[in-house]
Amino acid sequence: MNRRTAPVQPAGSPPRTRPLRADAERNRQRIIAAAQEVFARRGLEVTLDDIAHHAGVGVGTVYRRFADREALIEAVFDNEIQRVVALAEQALAHENAWEGLVQFLTVSGADFAEDRGLREILLEGAHSQNRVAAARDHLTPAFSALIARAQQEGSLRNDIESTDLPLLQLMIGAAAHHTRAVTPDLWQRYLTLVLDGLRTQRHGPSPLPHRALTQEEFDQTVPKTLPPRSTEGE
């Protein structure tokens, strides 16, 4: 009986390496992980050189895996965007409309506070590639449905519109961004204040989950966001 045998590697030949396909996929995942960290911390305007340096690979390796920065952005944020969409759908399924709305704003608020790139994509419209734009389009009716349910329940003020929700998230996200280095959880204070303003009925002001900035902390954050005070006319 003839038996097939594996080809014998000639003596002195270099050892066989792992298939390129596995090597390429490992590099791809390494680049995506590095991009997630860089985008979250610095936003979407970083270069592929920045990401390659953080990943510990050459920029040519990045270009072999991704045609351009837009392709890398989609690869990084596709799952994250779908997760935000899923959060909205879970909130819509909540038996209590107000609690569902609060749940969505709280969990998505934490995501936007921790991930500057995600905030820029979904709230600032920084990029409009097909999948990203489709996700934003999917979120718009979800926002409308969340608001309509809470208004029908009588827990949300009737003058709130669907366009208010992303702007409120943007406001809270901006506060989170500018205070992150000083006190990263401060955004929760402002979310609580916003929720108190949105709710139709409450027995009194809700306890604030975070203290206000000290004057020293305020001075570390606000001067970075405000233009210099004019002295004209003094």
Side-chain angles (χ1 to χ4, degrees):
M1 179 185 296
N2 292 330
R3 299 175 60 186
R4 294 183 180 180
T5 59
V8 178
Q9 185 174 351
S13 63
R16 288 189 178 137
T17 59
R18 293 181 180 181
L20 179 61
R21 185 179 301 172
D23 220 24
E25 180 59 23
R26 187 166 58 250
N27 277 337
R28 183 177 184 276
Q29 294 304 321
R30 187 175 181 179
I31 293 164
I32 289 176
Q36 284 175 325
E37 294 176 6
V38 176
F39 286 146
R41 188 172 66 252
R42 297 170 53 190
L44 302 178
E45 294 308 312
V46 296
T47 66
L48 290 184
D49 289 284
D50 295 327
I51 292 167
H53 178 74
H54 192 67
V57 300
V59 70
T61 301
V62 178
Y63 276 110
R64 280 194 292 273
R65 305 281 75 83
F66 302 96
D68 51 30
R69 189 180 56 172
E70 300 296 327
L72 179 55
I73 286 171
E74 285 210 350
V76 168
F77 288 105
D78 189 40
N79 288 338
E80 290 301 308
I81 291 170
Q82 294 308 317
R83 195 167 75 83
V84 175
V85 172
L87 287 175
E89 292 171 346
Q90 290 168 15
L92 283 170
H94 200 291
E95 61 182 1
N96 182 292
W98 173 256
E99 291 181 5
L101 178 61
V102 172
Q103 171 185 291
F104 174 73
L105 290 175
T106 302
V107 179
S108 63
D111 287 340
F112 294 138
E114 295 169 3
D115 194 330
R116 179 178 172 182
L118 182 64
R119 186 171 68 248
E120 289 180 1
I121 280 182
L122 285 182
L123 300 182
E124 300 178 24
H127 291 262
S128 57
Q129 292 293 321
N130 291 338
R131 278 183 289 182
V132 173
R136 284 202 296 261
D137 290 344
H138 192 71
L139 276 173
T140 299
F143 287 160
S144 299
L146 282 170
I147 288 172
R149 281 189 76 223
Q151 288 173 334
Q152 290 167 6
E153 182 186 71
S155 55
L156 177 67
R157 51 191 297 167
N158 286 325
D159 53 358
I160 295 298
E161 303 291 341
S162 60
T163 52
D164 289 322
L165 211 56
L167 285 174
L168 290 173
Q169 289 179 303
L170 183 60
M171 289 163 50
I172 295 167
H177 168 64
H178 290 297
T179 60
R180 183 176 182 180
V182 177
T183 174
D185 295 328
L186 184 66
W187 66 271
Q188 297 173 15
R189 178 182 179 89
Y190 301 112
L191 175 60
T192 302
L193 291 170
V194 166
L195 291 173
D196 268 13
L198 293 176
R199 195 167 191 171
T200 53
Q201 297 179 359
R202 53 187 173 85
H203 298 298
S206 300
L208 295 176
H210 198 286
R211 61 173 177 79
L213 292 175
T214 66
Q215 186 61 51
E216 181 181 358
E217 290 168 338
F218 182 86
D219 291 341
Q220 291 176 39
T221 57
V222 174
K224 299 175 183 177
T225 67
L226 297 180
R229 186 171 67 92
S230 174
T231 58
E232 184 177 349
E234 292 185 359

